[in-house]
Amino acid sequence: MKIILTEGCVCDSLTIDDKEVREYSNEELKEIIKKVLDKEKSKFNLIKFLGSAIEAFSGYFIDKSIIKTNKYGLLVKRDDNDVITVGKRNINNFTEEEIRDIILTVINMEDDNADLIWALRELVQNLGRYKFCYHCDDCGDNVGEYKLNV
């Protein structure tokens, strides 16, 4: 599977095997996200992505983002110190595989196509190989491309 994200200036495209991502169903996107997550081996990057997912998919309360799951209980990300707790445990006490499963639990709860596309974009930006394409003299923006083979 070849995923290409192009962004900058008036360019904004995310394709999977030459098909625009918005043409995929929610279930297909969830499976693609799972395959991409399997490539990530860094605990730091997994925690960072989990924090972003909690912020994006949760209700926001004064100084923290919260998601309630059946499997893991409350997932809480505090804004003041970027600490993530799962139940009452700090996320750093989980293995990479457990963190990956927590992320998938959050992703599988989501049914908004735009949010799933956002999650995939985040992963491609973190894992993809970046290539500068060109600089737009009109708007001053750079156009770049991230490629990821899964």
Side-chain angles (χ1 to χ4, degrees), residues 1 27-40 97 100-101 103-104 107-108 120 123 150:
M1 175 181 342
E27 293 309 312
E28 289 171 316
L29 286 173
K30 289 175 185 179
E31 283 302 311
I32 292 165
I33 290 169
K34 182 183 182 315
K35 288 178 184 176
V36 173
L37 270 175
D38 286 342
K39 286 188 67 107
E40 181 57 71
E97 207 48 50
R100 196 175 282 109
D101 189 60
I103 294 169
L104 290 173
I107 295 295
N108 285 328
L120 183 58
L123 287 169
V150 181

Side-chain angles (χ1 to χ4, degrees), residues 63-78:
D63 63 345
K64 58 189 169 192
S65 301
I66 300 173
I67 292 181
K68 183 177 181 181
T69 68
N70 290 333
K71 186 172 184 179
Y72 291 101
L74 285 181
L75 309 179
V76 178
K77 181 177 183 290
R78 300 197 184 282

Side-chain angles (χ1 to χ4, degrees), residues 50-113:
L50 175 60
S52 296
I54 291 171
E55 286 178 0
F57 302 148
S58 74
Y60 184 77
F61 303 92
I62 302 174
D63 63 345
K64 58 189 169 192
S65 301
I66 300 173
I67 292 181
K68 183 177 181 181
T69 68
N70 290 333
K71 186 172 184 179
Y72 291 101
L74 285 181
L75 309 179
V76 178
K77 181 177 183 290
R78 300 197 184 282
D79 291 345
D80 55 348
N81 55 9
D82 282 341
V83 171
I84 299 171
T85 55
V86 178
K88 295 190 180 209
R89 292 175 55 196
N90 186 299
I91 193 64
N92 292 311
N93 296 327
F94 288 83
T95 66
E96 288 86 352
E97 207 48 50
E98 289 171 319
I99 296 167
R100 196 175 282 109
D101 189 60
I102 294 167
I103 294 169
L104 290 173
T105 299
V106 171
I107 295 295
N108 285 328
M109 291 171 50
E110 190 57 46
D111 284 326
D112 185 332
N113 193 268

Side-chain angles (χ1 to χ4, degrees), residues 5-8 129-137 140-147:
L5 170 62
T6 307
E7 58 186 9
R129 193 176 23 166
Y130 177 77
K131 176 182 138 191
F132 172 80
C133 296
Y134 63 90
H135 177 79
C136 176
D137 290 333
D141 207 358
N142 290 328
V143 175
E145 182 178 86
Y146 298 86
K147 287 185 181 179

